[in-house]
Amino acid sequence: MDGDRSDRAPLLDLREVDETQVSVVGGKAAHLGALSRIDGIRVPAGFCVTTAAFRRIMAQTPSIDDRLDQLSHLSPDDREAISTLSAEIRRSVEETPIPGDLAAAITGALARFGERAAYAVRSSATAEDTPTASFAGQQDTYLNVVGPEAILRHVSRCWASLFTERAVIYRLRNGIDHRTVQMAVVVQQMVFPDASGILFTADPVTGNRKVATVDASFGLGEALVSGLVNPDVFTVRDGEVVASTVAAKERAVAALPEGGTREVAIDPQRQEQPALTQAQALRLVRIGRRIEAHFGRPQDIEWCLVDDDFQIVQSRPITTLFPIPAADDQENHVYLSVGHQQMMTDAMRPLGLSMWQLTAMAPMLAAGGRLFVDATRLLASPASRAGFLKMAGRDDPLMRDALETLLDRRDFVPTLPDQAGRGGPTTGGPSTSGEADPAIVPQLIERSEASIAALRRNIATVTGTALFDFLHEAFQEHKRVLSDPLNMQAIMAGMEATWWLNDRLHEWLGDKNAADTLTLSAPGNVTSEMGLALLDVADVIRPYPEVVAFLQDVAHDDFLDDLPKVTGGAEARAAIEAYLDRYGMRCVGEIDITRPRWSERPGTLVPVLLDNIKLFEPGAARRRFEQGRQKARQQAQEVLTRLRALPDGQQKADEAARMIDRVRAFIGYREYPKYDIISRYFVYKQALLAEAERLVGAGVLTETEDVFYLTFQEFHEVVRSHRVDDELIRQRRDAFRSHQALTPPRVLTSDGEAITGSYRRDDVPAGALAGVPVSSGTVEGRARVILDMAQADLEAGDILVTAHTDPSWTPLFVGIAGLVTEVGGLMTHGAVIAREYGLPAVVSVLDATRLIRNGQRIRVHGSDGYVEILP
C-alpha cells in the first residue's frame, strides 16, 4: 500500500497493515495485521487509529511540551513526582477534544459492524511488542465497549495510558525518550469466548524452544491475566501433551450486555473440567508454531476459543528468552558461558565480542551479547568427559552440576568414539606443568613486556585499512604469547600445587583449604600489587587536606588538570598518573574493549582512593604484605611439623615443602597473562578510537562510539568504503540495551534450555546461602552490595557483596573484611586475590545481590562455603 498515505491516514483497517508499520500503528496493531495475513489464522476484524491521530491530539494538549520536559528530568526512583506529573498529563490528554473529522472517521468505521456492536479498545504503542523491549501491561485495554460515545472516550483513555506511572518509569529506566514513543489505538470486534488463555511457543521458565505451554481458563482472558484463577496448563513437545494440570476454576470474567465486564461464579460441576481438550491444545500449538515461523522467533500468544474455533487476539515476542548461538547444523549442542569463567557476565557490545573472538584461544560463539564455547564433543567422548567435568567442578561446581543434569537425561548428548574428543582439556592425568623451573616466570614477564613495547612502537604510524591488516598480525602474536608452552606450564604449576596442597593436607591433617593461608602475600602477583599500590597513592595524598577536599567534590574525569591548583596537588597528580601508567588499562568488565579504561575515566578510582585515605594509616601496603608473608611462613612451619609426626612423616613433609615452595613461586603468575591481554587491548583500543575519530572528522560517523556497535570486520569495511549503515548501529544499540536486561545461563542448549545447576549439599544450615569456599576463615560484618565500583563507599569491617569481580575490583579488596560473589571458582581472579589478602570469601552464591540486602549483617564461612544472613 502507499506508505506516504498510511503515514498520514488517521485510520487503517487491520488487514492493511503489517509488522513494517510499527511507527504508524504501534506494535500490537502491526502484529495483529501481520497475523490476519497468515493463511488459516483467524483474527477479530477491526481498525487502527494511527499515530497520526495521536500526534494531532498531543499538539492540541495544553502545556504538554513543558510537562514532558519535566518528566524527562525525573529520576525513575522519584515515584511521588512521577505519579503526580503523569496523572496531570493523562488528565490533560483525556480532556482534549477529539477533532470533529477524526471523530466522524472513527464512528463511520464502526458502522460496518453496527453501532451497538461490542468492541475491544486496545493501546498499541510504537515501542510495544518489539523483539528488544516488552511493554506488556503498561498501557490500557478496555473490553466490551458499546456505542460510539464510549468508543471515543476509551480511545482517549488509550492515548493517555502512554503516561501511566509504570510506563513512564519503564522508559526512564531504559533510557527511552518519552517523545519517541507514540500511541495508536486498536478497535476490534469483541469476541465472547468459551475459553481463553495464553500460549507460549517456548517454555518461558527453561527457555526450551521445543516445549510449548498452554494456559487456559473459562470465559474472557482477563481472569487469567489478572490472577483471578489458576489456569489449566498443558505442556506440549513434539506434537504430544507430555504434562497437563487441570485447576479448580471457581471464577470467570464475563461480558455484560450493556458493556463492560464482571466476575461470575462458575457452576461447581464445571469448575474442575478442563477448559480445553488435549486435542484442542495440540491444535492450538500447531497454530502457534505457524505464527512463530512467520515472525521468526518464539511468541507469547493470546487466544480465544469460540465454538471450537481459535481466534488470535495478540502475539508478541517473548523478550525474556536468552538467544541461542547460531549453528550450521541441526545437531544438539551444549554451550558453556565464557563470562562465568572470565568473571564478567555483563552484556558486551559487538566490537567487544568480535575482538575477544579474534584473540581467544578457542572458537567462541556470540548470543545475547555474551560469548559461549561449544562443549558438545568434549562431553560426547567418554575419554574427555570425566576430565572435563572434573575441571569444570574445580572452576564452578554449579556448571558441573548443570552439565551432569543434562548428561543424566541420556537423550541429548550423543556418545561418540573416544578419539572424537581427543585434544580437549582434561585433568587428573600427568601434570601438564612438569617440573617447571621458577626462573621461567621472570623470563615470561620480560618477553611479554618486550612484545607489548614492540606493539606500541609499531602501531603508532599505521592508519586506515593498513591498521586492520596490522591488527590481524598482532592478534596472531597475542595468541602466540598466550599459547607458549612455558606460559601454560607456569600457570598450571601454581594451580596444580594449590590443588595438591588442599587435597593432601585435608587427607593427612584434616585441614580444609590449607593452601589459602600458604599463599598469603605470594610474590609477583600483578593484581594484588595493584590493590596495594593504590594504598601507596593514598599515602601521598593523605597529608594534604586540600587535595582530599578537592577529590571529595570531583564530578568529571578531567579533574587531574585542575589538581595542581591546590596545595599538594602536583604531588597527588604525579602519584595518580604513575599509578595509571602502570594500571590505567584496567577497568570493570575489561574483557570488553569498549568499556572505558581507568586512564580514560580516572574518576572511577576516586571513591576507592578516598576510602583508602579514610580507613588506613601510612605504610599500610608494606605492613599488610609483610604480615601476610609472615603468617604464610608460620603456617608452613606448623604444617611441616605436624606432618613429621605422622607415619612416613618425613616423606610427607618433604613433598609438602616442595609443593609450598612451588605454589609461592608460581601462584602469583596466575594473574599475569590477563594483565598481558588487557595491556594489549588498551593499545588496540587507542588505535581503533583514533581511526573512529578520523571517520567522525570526515562526516562518516556521528560519534566515535558508534564503532562499538560494529564488529571488527564491519569497522574495517567502514574504513575501506567510508560508508556506514546508521540504521544497523541504531538496531545494535537497541539490541545491546535488551541484552543488558538478560541473565546469561552457565549452560545453554541448542534447544534454548538454560540450565543453572544447584548445590547438592547437606552441610549448609537452613536459611544459609550455599557457595564455593575459596578463601578460609569466618567473618561477620555489614554487607555492602555494590554493583558499580565507582559507587563504593566502604567502612572498616564491611563485606563486599557483588555479582562478579575481575582484576579491576582489587583496589576495593584492601578495604573489606570479606567477599561474596554470584560468579567464580577456586582459581578465578577474586578467589586468588582474596587468598593473598587473607579475606574470607565465598563465591558462586546464586542471586547473592538480590537475596542479601545492602546494610544487613552477614557471616561469611570461607572454609565451609556458605553465607548466613543474621538477625
Side-chain angles (χ1 to χ4, degrees):
M1 61 181 293
D2 184 343
D4 291 338
R5 188 190 74 78
S6 70
D7 287 348
R8 296 190 303 271
L11 261 65
L12 290 172
D13 190 283
L14 283 180
R15 291 169 298 184
E16 293 184 90
V17 302
D18 60 26
E19 59 266 52
T20 66
Q21 294 166 276
V22 171
S23 64
V24 179
V25 298
K28 185 182 282 111
H31 277 75
L32 287 168
L35 285 166
S36 67
R37 293 163 179 243
I38 305 173
D39 286 344
I41 304 297
R42 293 203 55 193
V43 176
F47 59 89
C48 180
V49 184
T50 68
T51 55
F54 173 76
R55 288 193 294 273
R56 286 182 66 185
I57 293 298
M58 291 298 284
Q60 295 172 23
T61 300
S63 306
I64 190 67
D65 285 329
D66 290 343
R67 285 168 169 163
L68 289 179
D69 284 339
Q70 293 174 47
L71 206 58
S72 65
H73 289 103
L74 294 176
S75 161
D77 297 320
D78 194 349
R79 302 293 290 269
E80 186 175 345
I82 290 171
S83 177
T84 301
L85 190 53
S86 62
E88 289 177 9
I89 295 173
R90 289 197 304 278
R91 189 162 52 250
S92 294
V93 172
E94 286 187 39
E95 291 173 354
T96 299
I98 298 178
D101 60 327
L102 178 56
I106 294 171
T107 55
L110 296 174
R112 282 192 299 153
F113 308 104
E115 282 201 352
R116 302 311 298 173
Y119 294 88
V121 183
R122 313 170 70 193
S123 304
S124 181
T126 54
E128 184 177 10
D129 297 347
T130 66
T132 58
S134 176
F135 284 68
Q138 289 182 21
Q139 283 91 40
D140 291 344
T141 286
Y142 301 96
L143 299 179
N144 199 34
V145 183
V146 178
E149 288 185 12
I151 298 287
L152 292 172
R153 189 166 61 252
H154 285 86
V155 167
S156 290
R157 288 182 180 176
C158 283
W159 286 329
S161 74
L162 190 63
F163 302 101
T164 61
E165 187 177 339
R166 58 187 180 274
V168 167
I169 290 172
Y170 185 91
R171 291 196 293 271
L172 288 172
R173 288 198 191 286
N174 288 277
I176 300 171
D177 186 339
H178 301 298
R179 286 183 171 83
T180 63
V181 184
Q182 298 183 24
M183 180 66 80
V185 181
V186 175
V187 180
Q188 260 181 307
Q189 203 167 12
M190 186 66 189
V191 174
F192 302 100
D194 304 313
S196 58
I198 300 170
L199 161 64
F200 294 100
T201 64
D203 189 317
V205 177
T206 69
N208 195 320
R209 283 12 176 222
K210 292 187 176 179
V211 174
T213 63
V214 177
D215 290 4
S217 64
F218 294 124
L220 292 169
E222 294 305 292
L224 192 156
V225 173
S226 65
L228 182 64
V229 297
N230 291 322
D232 299 339
V233 180
F234 300 86
T235 304
V236 177
R237 179 170 185 145
D238 298 329
E240 179 184 351
V241 176
V242 294
S244 63
T245 303
V246 177
K249 300 170 287 294
E250 298 178 358
R251 311 287 293 173
V253 173
L256 295 171
E258 66 276 14
T261 62
R262 67 180 175 89
E263 291 180 23
V264 297
I266 295 177
D267 187 323
Q269 293 182 330
R270 288 188 68 211
Q271 288 178 6
E272 296 195 15
Q273 290 181 6
L276 293 180
T277 66
Q278 290 201 0
Q280 287 171 329
L282 291 174
R283 176 153 50 98
L284 177 60
V285 170
R286 288 195 294 271
I287 292 170
R289 291 293 182 214
R290 292 171 61 193
I291 295 171
E292 177 184 68
H294 176 84
F295 290 118
R297 56 180 56 88
Q299 296 288 301
D300 165 356
I301 298 167
E302 294 181 24
W303 55 269
C304 294
L305 181 69
V306 184
D307 298 329
D308 197 34
D309 186 23
F310 285 106
Q311 298 204 34
I312 305 302
V313 295
Q314 188 157 323
S315 184
R316 63 167 73 92
I318 307 176
T319 59
T320 55
L321 299 178
F322 200 89
I324 308 170
D328 55 8
D329 59 37
Q330 299 300 310
E331 303 297 319
N332 289 348
H333 293 271
V334 182
Y335 303 110
L336 306 188
S337 165
V338 173
H340 284 81
Q341 299 299 307
Q342 290 294 333
M343 299 293 284
M344 210 294 277
T345 57
D346 296 345
M348 297 168 67
R349 295 172 181 83
L351 185 62
L353 290 167
S354 62
M355 289 289 286
W356 195 261
Q357 287 173 303
L358 288 165
T359 53
M361 301 306 298
M364 293 184 180
L365 305 161
R370 277 76 169 190
L371 291 168
F372 295 84
V373 292
D374 189 340
T376 315
R377 292 181 70 82
L378 289 167
L379 294 168
S381 168
S384 60
R385 182 187 303 149
F388 185 69
L389 289 173
K390 184 176 181 180
M391 177 68 87
R394 286 195 186 276
D395 285 346
D396 186 342
L398 289 173
M399 185 172 283
R400 173 172 182 158
D401 184 77
L403 290 171
E404 289 178 333
T405 298
L406 188 61
L407 291 168
D408 285 346
R409 298 178 189 170
R410 302 183 182 280
D411 62 348
F412 192 85
V413 179
T415 298
L416 300 177
D418 283 349
Q419 62 266 27
R422 188 179 296 161
T426 61
T427 60
S431 169
T432 57
S433 62
E435 285 302 316
D437 182 352
I440 68 173
V441 170
Q443 292 173 19
L444 287 166
I445 293 173
E446 186 177 333
R447 289 185 202 175
S448 165
E449 290 175 344
S451 176
I452 293 169
L455 172 65
R456 285 198 188 98
R457 192 167 56 248
N458 296 333
I459 204 172
T461 57
V462 189
T463 61
T465 57
L467 171 65
F468 293 84
D469 297 333
F470 175 91
L471 284 172
H472 274 294
E473 292 181 19
F475 297 160
Q476 298 313 307
E477 167 67 3
H478 179 128
K479 291 196 273 191
R480 188 198 65 74
V481 169
L482 288 178
S483 61
D484 184 335
L486 288 180
N487 185 49
M488 295 307 299
Q489 255 188 38
I491 294 170
M492 292 307 299
M495 293 170 66
E496 289 175 348
T498 301
W499 296 333
W500 189 97
L501 287 165
N502 282 339
D503 292 346
R504 292 295 185 275
L505 296 184
H506 185 259
E507 176 189 343
W508 293 339
L509 300 175
D511 291 358
K512 283 186 177 180
N513 306 319
D516 293 1
T517 305
L518 297 169
T519 53
L520 283 169
S521 297
N525 187 317
V526 69
T527 306
S528 60
E529 289 169 357
M530 176 174 70
L532 297 176
L534 202 61
L535 287 176
D536 291 335
V537 177
D539 285 353
V540 173
I541 295 172
R542 193 179 289 106
Y544 300 108
E546 288 184 44
V547 174
V548 175
F550 176 91
L551 292 176
Q552 286 170 339
D553 291 330
V554 162
H556 303 287
D557 287 306
D558 56 3
F559 70 94
L560 289 173
D561 295 338
D562 295 326
L563 193 50
K565 297 175 183 177
V566 300
T567 303
E571 293 86 343
R573 185 170 77 169
I576 293 171
E577 287 180 339
Y579 185 87
L580 293 173
D581 286 344
R582 174 75 166 141
Y583 303 111
M585 79 294 289
R586 311 218 84 145
C587 68
V588 172
E590 59 192 9
I591 69 170
D592 181 355
I593 199 170
T594 72
R595 291 286 192 101
R597 312 284 132 174
W598 288 344
S599 288
E600 298 168 322
R601 198 168 288 175
T604 304
L605 292 172
V606 169
V608 189
L609 197 49
L610 290 170
D611 282 342
N612 287 351
I613 293 167
K614 174 178 66 176
L615 298 175
F616 294 95
E617 296 296 323
R622 183 178 62 256
R623 283 195 307 277
R624 184 169 190 142
F625 186 82
E626 183 57 27
Q627 287 166 359
R629 198 169 68 85
Q630 292 294 343
K631 192 171 180 181
R633 179 182 296 169
Q634 291 165 9
Q635 179 72 2
Q637 291 171 348
E638 180 192 325
V639 163
L640 297 178
T641 299
R642 290 165 62 202
L643 286 174
R644 292 187 187 103
L646 300 176
D648 298 323
Q650 190 57 50
Q651 180 182 339
K652 290 183 171 70
D654 291 345
E655 287 183 52
R658 186 168 64 87
M659 284 299 179
I660 291 170
D661 288 344
R662 271 180 92 62
V663 81
R664 292 195 66 78
F666 286 104
I667 198 63
Y669 184 74
R670 166 72 180 82
E671 293 291 296
Y672 198 85
K674 186 70 169 285
Y675 179 80
D676 175 288
I677 292 170
I678 302 307
S679 297
R680 293 174 192 276
Y681 262 43
F682 193 39
V683 179
Y684 305 153
K685 181 178 185 179
Q686 288 173 308
L688 290 170
L689 281 181
E691 203 59 45
E693 286 166 4
R694 281 188 278 274
L695 290 171
V696 171
V700 177
L701 296 176
T702 304
E703 54 186 84
T704 55
E705 291 194 359
D706 284 350
V707 298
F708 292 168
Y709 299 94
L710 301 173
T711 65
F712 180 83
Q713 297 85 348
E714 290 166 345
F715 189 179
H716 187 180
E717 178 57 25
V718 170
V719 170
R720 188 196 66 76
S721 67
H722 266 223
R723 287 197 302 271
V724 69
D725 185 344
D726 292 326
E727 177 61 19
L728 175 67
I729 290 173
R730 188 195 65 75
Q731 291 173 0
R732 294 273 180 80
R733 285 183 189 274
D734 289 346
F736 175 67
R737 188 182 297 119
S738 72
H739 293 157
Q740 287 177 299
L742 297 173
T743 300
R746 282 174 162 80
V747 175
L748 180 68
T749 74
S750 48
D751 286 350
E753 183 177 3
I755 309 176
T756 305
S758 60
Y759 292 108
R760 304 174 193 276
R761 296 170 53 183
D762 54 12
D763 61 338
V764 176
L769 308 178
V772 179
V774 295
S775 187
S776 295
T778 301
V779 66
E780 181 179 319
R782 181 181 72 152
R784 288 292 287 117
V785 181
I786 299 173
L787 300 178
D788 180 355
M789 182 177 147
Q791 303 302 315
D793 180 17
L794 298 169
E795 299 290 343
D798 281 352
I799 297 168
L800 173 62
V801 180
T802 190
H804 44 74
T805 60
D806 58 14
S808 70
W809 285 76
T810 302
L812 281 186
F813 283 26
V814 298
I816 59 175
L819 174 68
V820 179
T821 69
E822 295 179 338
V823 176
L826 186 65
M827 284 298 168
T828 46
H829 304 282
V832 172
I833 305 307
R835 289 194 291 275
E836 287 213 15
Y837 285 177
L839 300 173
V842 179
V843 302
S844 215
V845 179
L846 277 174
D847 294 327
T849 59
R850 183 176 61 83
L851 297 173
I852 300 171
R853 294 196 306 275
N854 191 46
Q856 280 185 316
R857 289 196 67 76
I858 61 173
R859 187 179 297 128
V860 177
H861 295 263
S863 303
D864 297 313
Y866 63 88
V867 180
E868 291 181 284
I869 300 175
L870 304 176

